[in-house]
């Protein structure tokens, strides 16, 4: 399981994520758009998005790859324009164990996992606890921007 929260200009974008048959992940609609200060709405957005799971879908044809879905919600024209002003964290789950992973910008311009921004939760940690911590991280990052 993999889910993202993109923070940009005080807004959190929580896209639905599907897994392509090749194993890669892709953001799709619906996308929740929530002010970072609205704790209750953020919690609901993550719960609703995670409930949709990561469906496995066919890869889009190479010549019809869609534009990143969050662009239309953020009013950004390009992915690089969106990413310049954004930060990214993910909730990952494997075998019932959760972790939150923060990302940093690679010198070549793409996001990469930041090993200094990983929070591992003990087995049997509830999803609500993980989501609450994710919200704390997003709100803390918004306060430091």
């Amino acid at each position: 399981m993999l889910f993202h929260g993109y923070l940009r200009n005080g807004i959190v974008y929580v896209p639905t994520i599907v897994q392509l048959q090749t194993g890669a992940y892709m953001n799709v609609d619906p996308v929740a758009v929530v002010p970072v200060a609205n704790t209750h709405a953020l919690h609901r957005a993550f719960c609703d998005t995670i409930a949709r799971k990561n469906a496995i879908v066919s890869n889009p044809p190479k010549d019809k790859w869609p534009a990143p879905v969050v662009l239309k919600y953020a009013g950004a024209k390009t992915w690089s324009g969106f990413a310049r002003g954004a930060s990214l964290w993910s909730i990952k789950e494997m075998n019932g164990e959760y972790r939150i992973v923060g990302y940093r910008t690679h010198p070549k311009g793409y996001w990469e996992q930041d090993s200094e921004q990983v929070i591992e939760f003990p087995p049997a940690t509830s999803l609500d606890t993980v989501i609450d911590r994710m919200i704390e991280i997003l709100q803390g990052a918004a306060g430091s921007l």
Side-chain angles (χ1 to χ4, degrees):
M1 174 189 90
L2 172 69
F3 294 94
H4 297 317
Y6 297 92
L7 173 64
R8 183 173 189 259
N9 298 329
I11 303 293
V12 179
Y13 302 88
V14 184
T16 300
I17 298 181
V18 295
Q19 185 174 13
L20 303 177
Q21 289 176 332
T22 57
Y25 291 90
M26 184 170 83
N27 299 334
V28 297
D29 277 313
V31 176
V33 179
V34 183
V36 71
N38 191 336
T39 302
H40 178 74
L42 274 176
H43 193 94
R44 178 82 278 149
F46 278 107
C47 286
D48 291 350
T49 301
I50 291 168
R52 287 190 284 276
K53 305 190 184 292
N54 297 129
I56 298 175
V57 300
S58 299
N59 289 27
K62 287 186 181 190
D63 59 343
K64 293 188 179 178
W65 197 266
V69 70
V70 297
L71 297 183
K72 68 182 174 183
Y73 294 93
K77 293 183 181 187
T78 65
W79 183 251
S80 61
F82 173 81
R84 252 192 314 276
S87 51
L88 167 63
W89 288 269
S90 296
I91 295 175
K92 298 182 176 190
E93 180 271 331
M94 184 175 288
N95 301 320
E97 294 183 19
Y98 293 99
R99 84 167 70 163
I100 294 175
V101 178
Y103 292 75
R104 63 178 172 221
T105 304
H106 185 276
K108 291 187 177 180
Y110 58 86
W111 276 316
E112 65 181 351
Q113 292 185 21
D114 183 348
S115 61
E116 294 180 16
Q117 293 189 73
V118 175
I119 300 170
E120 301 211 17
F121 293 86
T125 300
S126 74
L127 180 57
D128 281 332
T129 298
V130 176
I131 290 170
D132 288 344
R133 182 66 181 111
M134 177 76 140
I135 292 167
E136 288 174 9
I137 290 168
L138 291 164
Q139 289 176 337
S144 66
L145 295 178

